[in-house]
């Protein structure tokens, strides 16, 4: 058994099939004492366990591979490596001297399939050169697809990079970082079109594989450093098309969560591939430190393609922020760590909550049943595949009135990723020209997407029908009921394939959103980012 901890927080984690790896952050074993964590922990998802019996597997990082807070972890299945970028020096070892902040680098953890592995530098001072135009950030929203690891926003400070040499400086980092798993290259692209062209810290970014040409990224929550402004909250969901590089925004409906940061978010696709649900939990509400708020221990569910929010109905017991979570294919959300923001000192960091109540979860790990929307202390490796909660199914069965914000968003959700077929879209019945998506349960004759099973059934049906007609004709001929001179009657046409689909208008970038930054707060633009890098390197050279 791993040594009991009071709290675990500011760590990062990633799911890699049958394993969840936890890295970095801080732990508190004794009252008032926070310890930086330079150990990689692993949770085995192939076996049943409770948070009392779970035995975490540990791998100690090399001394030159310093683990940090708020790191970005990207899992590459084809390389069998977890890549680690970014992070900030520990709050327990806050630095005032930029020299001891480690140089920019990316490390890789080669997993062995048994919960352990080895750390090696991929980009940095002792391997391949790190890109000179990129600095380490912390608190970025991260996601991965089969080929690329993404990192959106975050902040840069004295604790993240030697490029910043003043303890009073902290900037929000603009742009979207992309790390290629194929050639191990790191690039920064503009986030123009996303929430005033600014990127937040401590928000979420999820890869949704079932929509668009190559899947989409969904971003929500977080805030600008030093401003307290949420760029989009949860009523407007930001969508990134990885195929075109365009950002879009879609209005959501339902029981919309309050704006927050340092929450956790997971996404899961149901077993019939008809919907995709995003679950969020906890977080620091704006002005929420030191304030009791049951919403910091609340699960909300956003269902796509309806873009409708639902709130789980249970009694709050322990508000939580600065934690991570992951969804298994069996519909179990594993939550790890976090602190109670209501026990933090107002105006201070949430880290001040380490002196509060001990985490009620053993080993700071909890399990949430996603279909039944309830907490439990055990993990079931043999559970049934995920199905949406009853409330989600009921919402779709009634038909939903949502409209698309733009033709570009509509196009993304019409096409299923990596296929040439589309889901059914019909014109809205309202005065708006924006169409409404019809749930599959609501239409029988519309041009719905045909999966491989349906297409196979149609083809087999056609073959059987034709064979029957041919056989029947032969039998009739043999009985002499048909004249030899009679011309054969042509066979009827059968609908032996999917219907023809109409082309959609070419996608276009949505208009820029209204500037909602606070007066007197300078937002860190790409131009300012470049100026800062140039000036700091000039000082270093002199």
């Amino acid at each position: 058994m791993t040594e009991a901890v009071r709290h675990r927080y500011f760590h990062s984690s990633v799911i890699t099939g049958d394993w969840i790896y936890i890295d970095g952050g801080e732990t508190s074993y004794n009252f008032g004492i926070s310890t930086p964590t330079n150990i990689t922990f692993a949770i085995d998802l192939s076996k049943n366990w409770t948070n009392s019996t779970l035995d975490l597997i540990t791998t100690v990082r090399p001394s030159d591979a310093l683990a940090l807070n708020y790191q970005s972890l990207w899992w590459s299945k084809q390389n069998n490596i977890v890549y680690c970028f970014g992070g900030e020096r520990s709050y327990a070892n806050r630095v005032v001297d930029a020299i001891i902040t480690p140089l920019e680098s990316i490390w890789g953890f080669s997993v062995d399939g048994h919960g352990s592995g080895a750390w090696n530098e991929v980009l940095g001072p002792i391997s391949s050169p790190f890109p000179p135009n990129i600095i380490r950030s912390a608190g970025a929203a991260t996601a991965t697809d089969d080929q690329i690891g993404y990192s959106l926003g975050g902040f840069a400070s004295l604790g993240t990079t030697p490029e910043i040499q003043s303890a009073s400086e902290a900037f929000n980092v603009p742009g979207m970082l992309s790390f290629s798993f194929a050639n191990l290259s790191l690039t920064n692209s503009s986030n123009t079109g996303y929430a005033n062209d600014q990127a937040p810290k401590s928000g979420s970014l999820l890869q949704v594989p079932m929509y668009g040409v190559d899947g989409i990224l969904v971003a929500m929550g977080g805030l600008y450093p030093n401003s307290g402004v949420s760029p989009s909250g949860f009523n407007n969901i930001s969508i990134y098309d990885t195929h075109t590089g365009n950002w879009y925004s879609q209005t959501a409906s339902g029981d919309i969560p309050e704006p927050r940061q340092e929450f956790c978010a997971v996404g899961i696709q149901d077993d019939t591939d008809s919907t995709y649900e995003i679950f969020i939990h906890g977080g620091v509400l704006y002005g929420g430190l030191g304030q009791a708020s049951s919403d910091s221990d609340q699960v909300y569910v956003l269902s796509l393609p309806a873009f409708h929010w639902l709130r789980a109905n249970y009694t709050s017991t322990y508000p939580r922020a600065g934690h991570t979570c992951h969804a298994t294919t069996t519909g179990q959300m594993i939550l790890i760590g976090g602190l109670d923001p209501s026990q933090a000192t107002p105006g201070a960091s949430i880290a001040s909550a380490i002196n509060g109540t001990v985490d009620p979860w053993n080993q700071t790990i909890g399990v949430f049943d996603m279909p039944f929307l309830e907490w439990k202390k055990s993990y079931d490796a043999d559970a049934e595949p995920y199905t949406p909660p009853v409330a989600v199914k009921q919402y779709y069965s009634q038909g939903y009135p949502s409209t698309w914000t733009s033709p570009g968003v509509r196009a993304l959700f019409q096409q299923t990723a990596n296929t040439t077929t589309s889901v059914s879209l019909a014109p809205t019945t309202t005065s708006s020209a924006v169409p409404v998506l019809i749930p599959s349960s609501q239409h029988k004759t519309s041009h719905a997407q045909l999966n491989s099973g349906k297409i196979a059934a149609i083809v087999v049906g056609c073959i059987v029908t034709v064979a029957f007609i041919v056989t029947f004709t032969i039998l009739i001929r043999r009985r002499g009921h048909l004249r030899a001179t009679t011309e054969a009657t042509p066979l009827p046409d059968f609908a032996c394939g999917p219907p023809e689909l109409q082309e959609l208008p070419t996608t276009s970038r949505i208009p820029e959103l209204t500037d909602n930054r606070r007066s007197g707060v300078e937002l860190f633009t790409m131009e300012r980012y470049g100026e800062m890098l140039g000036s700091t390197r000039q000082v270093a050279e002199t």
Side-chain angles (χ1 to χ4, degrees):
M1 288 289 293
T2 306
E3 182 182 358
V5 298
R6 289 175 56 88
H7 300 288
R8 186 193 314 276
Y9 46 97
F10 305 154
H11 57 280
S12 300
S13 58
V14 65
I15 188 168
T16 65
D18 284 338
W19 294 92
I20 292 176
Y21 292 95
I22 309 166
D23 192 63
E26 303 182 26
T27 52
S28 173
Y29 295 93
N30 300 296
F31 182 84
I33 300 177
S34 185
T35 305
T37 305
N38 218 41
I39 295 174
T40 303
F41 298 93
I43 299 174
D44 189 353
L45 298 177
S46 66
K47 302 176 182 178
N48 296 339
W49 47 259
T50 70
N51 55 9
S52 298
T53 63
L54 175 64
D55 190 8
L56 295 175
I57 297 175
T58 61
T59 301
V60 179
R61 272 177 168 252
S63 58
D64 55 348
L66 184 66
L68 303 171
N69 294 342
Y70 300 117
Q71 301 172 134
S72 294
L73 297 181
W74 302 311
W75 163 240
S76 170
K77 184 177 181 180
Q78 61 267 41
N79 295 352
N80 207 35
I81 293 175
V82 174
Y83 295 99
C84 178
F85 169 71
E88 183 183 33
R89 291 283 295 188
S90 167
Y91 284 95
N93 188 20
R94 178 61 60 182
V95 298
V96 294
D97 185 351
I99 296 176
I100 66 171
T101 300
L103 295 172
E104 275 75 9
S105 61
I106 290 180
W107 285 74
F109 183 64
S110 301
V111 302
D112 63 3
H114 303 287
S116 298
W119 283 100
N120 292 284
E121 186 185 280
V122 176
L123 295 178
I126 62 176
S127 57
S128 301
F130 194 86
N133 61 331
I134 296 176
I135 62 174
R136 179 189 288 113
S137 60
T142 60
T144 61
D145 59 24
D146 291 337
Q147 303 176 35
I148 295 174
Y150 299 94
S151 178
L152 174 66
F155 66 93
S157 69
L158 178 68
T160 70
T161 174
E163 298 287 355
I164 295 178
Q165 301 181 3
S166 170
S168 62
E169 280 192 286
F171 302 103
N172 63 304
V173 175
M176 171 89 83
L177 288 179
S178 300
F179 180 69
S180 169
F181 300 145
N183 56 28
L184 305 181
S185 62
L186 184 66
T187 57
N188 191 2
S189 59
S190 170
N191 52 277
T192 300
Y194 173 75
N196 299 324
D197 302 341
Q198 299 298 319
K201 76 178 186 72
S202 303
S204 71
L205 186 68
L206 294 170
Q207 197 263 346
V208 181
M210 62 187 292
Y211 302 116
V213 176
D214 300 317
I216 60 173
L217 303 181
V218 174
M220 63 183 79
L223 82 163
Y224 296 130
N226 303 326
S227 69
V229 176
S230 172
S232 58
F234 298 90
N235 59 330
N236 289 300
I237 309 301
S238 295
I239 304 162
Y240 181 73
D241 182 359
T242 58
H243 185 69
T244 64
N246 288 342
W247 280 100
Y248 302 93
S249 178
Q250 172 64 31
T251 302
S253 61
D255 198 344
I256 298 172
E258 294 183 44
R260 65 193 66 201
Q261 63 168 325
E262 299 201 41
F263 58 96
C264 81
V266 300
I268 188 167
Q269 186 172 325
D270 77 25
D271 57 355
T272 62
D273 294 344
S274 58
T275 65
Y276 190 93
E277 276 72 56
I278 295 175
F279 289 68
I280 73 165
H281 173 262
V284 179
L285 279 62
Y286 297 143
L289 288 180
Q291 305 294 321
S293 173
S294 61
D295 217 42
S296 287
D297 179 29
Q298 191 61 56
V299 170
Y300 288 88
V301 183
L302 176 68
S303 184
L304 307 179
F307 283 90
H308 186 76
W309 283 103
L310 298 168
R311 186 177 187 268
N313 184 21
Y314 62 84
T315 303
S316 171
T317 58
Y318 188 83
R320 197 173 293 267
H323 56 315
T324 59
C325 55
H326 301 280
T328 68
T329 56
T330 54
Q332 297 170 92
M333 180 165 66
I334 315 299
L335 295 95
I336 305 160
L339 293 169
D340 182 352
S342 68
Q343 299 187 36
T345 304
S349 163
I350 190 178
S352 60
I354 63 170
N355 295 328
T357 306
V358 176
D359 195 318
W361 294 344
N362 288 321
Q363 303 196 70
T364 74
I365 294 173
V367 181
F368 186 78
D369 190 311
M370 302 167 80
F372 292 95
L373 302 178
E374 60 186 19
W375 293 101
K376 57 183 186 177
K377 296 181 180 180
S378 62
Y379 167 75
D380 182 3
D382 302 314
E384 294 295 320
Y386 166 78
T387 57
V390 172
V392 171
K393 294 179 180 179
Q394 289 175 341
Y395 180 77
Y396 281 100
S397 68
Q398 298 166 2
Y400 53 95
S402 301
T403 57
W404 300 110
T405 304
S406 73
V409 178
R410 175 183 182 270
L412 284 176
F413 284 84
Q414 183 192 35
Q415 185 170 31
T416 303
N418 299 316
T419 70
T420 56
T421 57
S422 304
V423 296
S424 175
L425 291 170
T428 181
T429 56
T430 66
S431 59
S432 169
V434 183
V436 177
L437 179 66
I438 302 177
S440 58
S441 61
Q442 296 290 304
H443 60 85
K444 300 297 182 183
T445 60
S446 59
H447 295 176
Q449 177 185 339
L450 296 177
N451 59 32
S452 57
K454 292 180 180 178
I455 293 173
I458 292 172
V459 172
V460 171
C462 291
I463 294 172
V464 170
T465 303
V466 172
F468 174 80
I469 292 174
V470 171
T471 303
F472 180 80
T473 302
I474 293 173
L475 289 174
I476 293 298
R477 284 178 178 273
R478 285 182 177 179
R479 292 184 182 184
H481 293 296
L482 288 177
R483 295 181 182 176
T485 57
T486 302
E487 293 183 1
T489 304
L491 296 178
D493 291 332
F494 293 94
C496 297
E500 216 171 285
L501 301 172
Q502 296 181 349
E503 287 189 6
L504 291 175
T506 304
T507 59
S508 57
R509 190 184 303 280
I510 59 171
E512 294 184 2
L513 304 178
T514 307
D515 189 3
N516 64 349
R517 59 187 175 185
R518 286 190 179 179
S519 177
V521 178
E522 180 185 358
L523 297 178
F524 196 43
T525 63
M526 292 291 284
E527 290 77 11
R528 175 72 181 93
Y529 181 73
E531 291 172 3
M532 186 274 291
L533 282 176
S535 62
T536 53
R537 288 198 171 92
Q538 226 171 12
V539 171
E541 290 169 2
T542 58

